[in-house]
Amino acid sequence: MQFTDEGIVLSAQPHGENHAVVNIFTPSAGRVAALVHGGQGKTRQPVIQPGNTVSATWKGRTEDSLGHFSLELVEPRAATLMQDSLALTGLTAATSLLSLCLPERQSLPQLYDATKVLFELMEDSDVWPVIMVKWELGLLSAVGYGLILDRCVASGATLEDGADLTFVSPRSGGAVTYEAGMPYKDRLLPLPPFLIARGEPQVGDMLAGFALTGHFLEERILFPADRQLPDARQRLLTRLQQKYRG
């Protein structure tokens, strides 16, 4: 069996003395892991850097077997961002999240397209951190844990009706209006207005957005699988706080 598709390299782990097991996110087959022969060699190492776009041909005896990849480099994104440490950290955080959160062999073409857009914007440091918050919301939705941010889970009031959605319930993942949430505000998460298309994002909103998505990534995907948010994501948040707050 075999298939050929474009893909984004998510991770590469040494296998034996010379080879590597590489995880790739493809639009048609989802996250796929396979052996890359000579993956630890000087020729293959630049190709399998996380964040790179590749043309991948997978071959295996059965659909469920590990199989092996033949890879051709399409976009050396890791090398392109090498001089921008913040963007490189963001790239690593995003690929690490995909490695941890995506199920195997589940086609998620919309998330794949959104990931490409995020990576293409990473040369603009004033834009991509806000886009990454929205991308993390999209990741949650793609794997079945989307948040309900268009109506209040307590009163039923909707965004279309002008509801003042201000908080998010950390349990249900649903928005809560200011009036309904104020008595319980210490137990709720803030809802950054830019996530419901209200106003331009401020620095505090962006960081609150990462706190919101991080909570649900942990509670709904990672903790049940005995995993944690990747270290690269925490490094990213630290770098963003240093950049914008001094």
Side-chain angles (χ1 to χ4, degrees), residues 11-202:
S11 65
Q13 299 296 328
H15 184 83
E17 294 185 1
N18 301 308
H19 311 310
V21 174
V22 179
N23 262 287
I24 293 177
F25 179 28
T26 72
S28 62
R31 181 176 67 84
V32 182
L35 188 68
V36 173
H37 294 289
Q40 298 183 55
K42 293 181 179 180
T43 303
R44 296 283 88 193
Q45 274 286 314
V47 176
I48 62 174
Q49 294 301 304
N52 283 352
T53 300
V54 295
S55 175
T57 296
W58 178 90
K59 294 181 180 180
R61 292 184 178 179
T62 67
E63 185 176 341
D64 296 330
S65 64
L66 177 63
H68 67 271
F69 279 133
S70 297
L71 303 177
E72 293 183 11
L73 183 62
V74 174
E75 175 65 39
R77 193 164 288 108
T80 300
L81 298 176
M82 192 62 68
Q83 302 304 314
D84 185 341
S85 60
L86 180 63
L88 192 60
T89 303
L91 185 73
T92 303
T95 54
S96 298
L97 277 171
L98 290 169
S99 290
L100 290 170
C101 296
L102 291 185
E104 285 191 274
R105 306 282 181 132
Q106 181 176 330
S107 177
L108 299 168
Q110 291 182 328
L111 179 63
Y112 182 85
D113 290 342
T115 303
K116 286 189 67 176
V117 170
L118 172 65
F119 289 175
E120 288 166 1
L121 291 171
M122 280 191 163
E123 293 184 52
D124 188 344
S125 62
D126 293 328
V127 172
W128 72 259
V130 169
I131 299 302
M132 185 163 175
V133 175
K134 296 180 178 181
W135 175 83
E136 289 189 347
L137 276 179
L139 171 58
L140 282 163
S141 181
V143 297
Y145 298 107
L147 306 188
I148 303 170
L149 302 182
D150 62 346
R151 63 184 181 274
C152 176
V153 293
S155 68
T158 67
L159 193 61
E160 286 187 356
D161 295 333
D164 185 13
L165 302 176
T166 307
F167 306 103
V168 177
S169 166
R171 291 188 178 182
S172 71
V176 181
T177 61
Y178 180 85
E179 182 179 3
M182 276 304 290
Y184 315 100
K185 65 177 183 178
D186 292 339
R187 287 180 268 171
L188 300 174
L189 299 166
L191 172 57
F194 77 92
L195 291 181
I196 51 174
R198 289 185 172 174
E200 292 297 318
Q202 305 299 314

Side-chain angles (χ1 to χ4, degrees), residues 213-230:
T213 54
H215 170 81
F216 289 103
L217 287 167
E218 286 183 323
E219 293 294 327
R220 295 189 170 183
I221 302 175
L222 299 175
F223 286 172
D226 198 25
R227 296 173 176 174
Q228 297 181 333
L229 286 168

